[in-house]
Amino acid sequence: MAVYAVVGNMLVSIISVFCDNDYKMVPKLLQNIEEKVKVPHEIILIDNREKFKDDPADFYPATIFSKGCNTYQFEARRFAVQYCNGDYIWFIDSDDTILSVKSDLDFTEDLILFNHANYTSLISLPPTWYFRKQVLNTKQRFTSITRNQLDSYIVNHDPFTTCCCTLWNKWIKKDLVSSIIKDIPEGLEIVASEDVLYSALFIDRSKTICFCNDTIYLYREDLSKGFNSKITTDRFFHIIKGRKLSRELFRRYFDNPEYWDNTDVSAAYFVYKAFSTSDAEICLKEMLNHFSVEEISKVQNHIWLEPLSQDQKETLGKFIAEQNL
């Protein structure tokens, strides 16, 4: 372990991707960054707009790039890396909020893992905060470990309990990101688990990791359409887009893909979201393009599906039975 806080010349490249749905939030985000981020930084924006491509907006002081269409987050993030000049890359979402990034931050590790908070109707701490408390000395601002030590800093054999499966709580060395994305094919349309896949790659390929207790990010769950209790069928089709492909990539890049991409958890999540729509059956049918009948059947009693009504559980059972005829 190491404890330190040395001011240096580290530059952070902050990447955000926006589209037709959220481009009007970007000027506020840029103002937020300039007010809260006290380390040297640059801002790279990827413009995924199609319908409102020519709508004027003030994106100063960011640098903007575009492929001329909506490439979705996975490809947009891969595309953005080539334009980064920073020592570290920080992928953030355009509808979230930066809290405070102090000027004394300076690192040498491959991966930096920060704390974050969630906002729904009030601000709350995420489960990762409580898991970290179990394995870290939370009075210590910095804890530096090697990748080989990581298993000693996770709970229940799940790396995401302490590392989190999202990108916005991580700073990743640019050289590491570049070495990883060079092997990723261009133009893949992936929405489902795209941040989990990138997070897994960055964690797994890091030689050194630093846990920093600073809380630098506020995840606006209240603005996240994927977490709404009720969603449209169109939204379901969007959030599951590319799930089969991302599963294939997990199996291509990892010897132990289930360690990073638990099939039961993923299938249960999408079953639950299917019943959050007005037409669960059409959404369950779409799931068959990404999961086998056996994989869907296996999660009928998963803890994530406990909130389903008895009628919904019977509908799920009937759907599975019909596929097995």
Side-chain angles (χ1 to χ4, degrees):
M1 297 183 188
V3 182
Y4 58 87
V6 181
V7 177
N9 297 313
M10 179 186 66
L11 177 68
V12 179
S13 296
I14 304 173
I15 296 175
S16 184
V17 181
F18 65 91
C19 63
D20 292 311
N21 293 330
D22 53 17
Y23 75 97
K24 290 185 178 180
M25 298 180 181
V26 174
K28 184 178 179 180
L29 173 68
L30 298 178
Q31 181 182 359
N32 174 221
I33 291 172
E34 294 309 293
E35 290 176 354
K36 297 295 185 179
V37 179
K38 303 303 182 182
V39 297
H41 61 275
E42 64 176 0
I43 306 170
I44 307 296
L45 296 178
I46 302 301
D47 186 349
N48 267 352
R49 288 179 297 175
E50 293 180 321
K51 183 178 179 181
F52 300 112
K53 188 71 176 175
D54 298 322
D55 198 349
D58 183 6
F59 296 137
Y60 179 83
T63 306
I64 306 173
F65 300 94
S66 175
K67 296 188 78 173
C69 61
N70 186 354
T71 62
Y72 300 99
Q73 287 269 24
F74 187 78
E75 168 60 16
R77 285 168 167 162
R78 187 207 63 80
F79 174 69
V81 172
Q82 64 187 302
Y83 302 110
C84 295
N85 300 300
D87 302 287
Y88 285 89
I89 291 178
W90 185 14
F91 296 98
I92 66 173
D93 290 347
S94 58
D95 54 356
D96 290 333
T97 302
I98 309 302
L99 294 178
S100 179
V101 179
K102 297 177 181 178
S103 61
D104 65 348
L105 291 177
D106 190 55
F107 301 101
T108 59
E109 291 86 355
D110 292 330
L111 179 67
I112 318 302
L113 302 172
F114 292 93
N115 281 327
H116 73 280
N118 296 336
Y119 180 84
T120 47
S121 57
L122 49 82
I123 295 176
S124 62
L125 294 171
T128 50
W129 189 91
Y130 299 97
F131 285 125
R132 282 192 183 193
K133 191 174 181 180
Q134 293 182 44
V135 296
L136 294 173
N137 177 2
T138 53
K139 293 181 180 179
Q140 187 169 291
R141 188 179 178 197
F142 304 100
T143 302
S144 184
I145 66 172
T146 66
R147 168 65 181 87
N148 292 336
Q149 294 173 302
L150 182 61
D151 282 347
S152 299
Y153 289 82
I154 64 177
V155 180
N156 299 331
H157 306 288
D158 180 355
F160 297 131
T161 52
T162 50
C163 297
C164 198
C165 64
T166 55
L167 286 173
W168 30 251
N169 76 311
K170 298 172 177 64
W171 290 3
I172 315 103
K173 263 197 176 176
K174 189 213 170 172
D175 290 345
L176 174 62
V177 178
S178 297
S179 70
I180 289 171
I181 67 165
K182 68 179 176 57
D183 296 323
I184 294 177
E186 180 179 352
L188 301 180
E189 293 189 353
I190 299 175
V191 175
S193 297
E194 59 89 12
D195 52 348
V196 183
L197 176 55
Y198 274 134
S199 291
L201 285 167
F202 298 149
I203 296 167
D204 189 55
R205 306 299 195 266
S206 294
K207 293 181 180 178
T208 53
I209 298 170
C210 180
F211 293 94
C212 178
N213 274 339
D214 292 9
T215 302
I216 67 170
Y217 198 86
L218 182 65
Y219 170 48
R220 293 295 303 271
E221 191 172 285
D222 60 318
L223 300 177
S224 177
K225 294 178 181 178
F227 277 89
N228 290 349
S229 58
K230 295 294 183 182
I231 62 173
T232 64
T233 53
D234 284 346
R235 186 63 189 173
F236 180 89
F237 274 66
H238 174 76
I239 64 175
I240 202 172
K241 186 179 182 66
R243 177 73 272 233
K244 180 180 180 180
L245 181 53
S246 63
R247 293 185 69 191
E248 291 172 355
L249 293 179
F250 273 108
R251 280 138 189 80
R252 179 188 304 179
Y253 295 130
F254 297 99
D255 293 331
N256 53 345
E258 280 290 325
Y259 180 75
W260 300 99
D261 183 36
N262 187 288
T263 300
D264 289 352
V265 170
S266 183
Y269 169 79
F270 283 109
V271 169
Y272 179 78
K273 300 310 291 187
F275 282 99
S276 300
T277 71
S278 59
D279 193 339
E281 186 170 354
I282 194 172
C283 295
L284 291 171
K285 287 180 179 178
E286 173 59 22
M287 282 191 66
L288 294 175
N289 292 321
H290 308 274
F291 298 90
S292 69
V293 175
E294 292 75 20
E295 288 169 336
I296 298 173
S297 177
K298 185 180 176 183
V299 302
Q300 288 182 87
N301 297 315
H302 194 279
I303 189 172
W304 279 32
L305 302 186
E306 287 183 359
L308 297 185
S309 68
Q310 187 59 37
D311 285 348
Q312 290 172 325
K313 292 177 181 179
E314 289 175 1
T315 298
L316 175 60
K318 180 181 178 182
F319 174 81
I320 293 169
E322 288 173 348
Q323 308 314 309
N324 289 321
L325 290 177

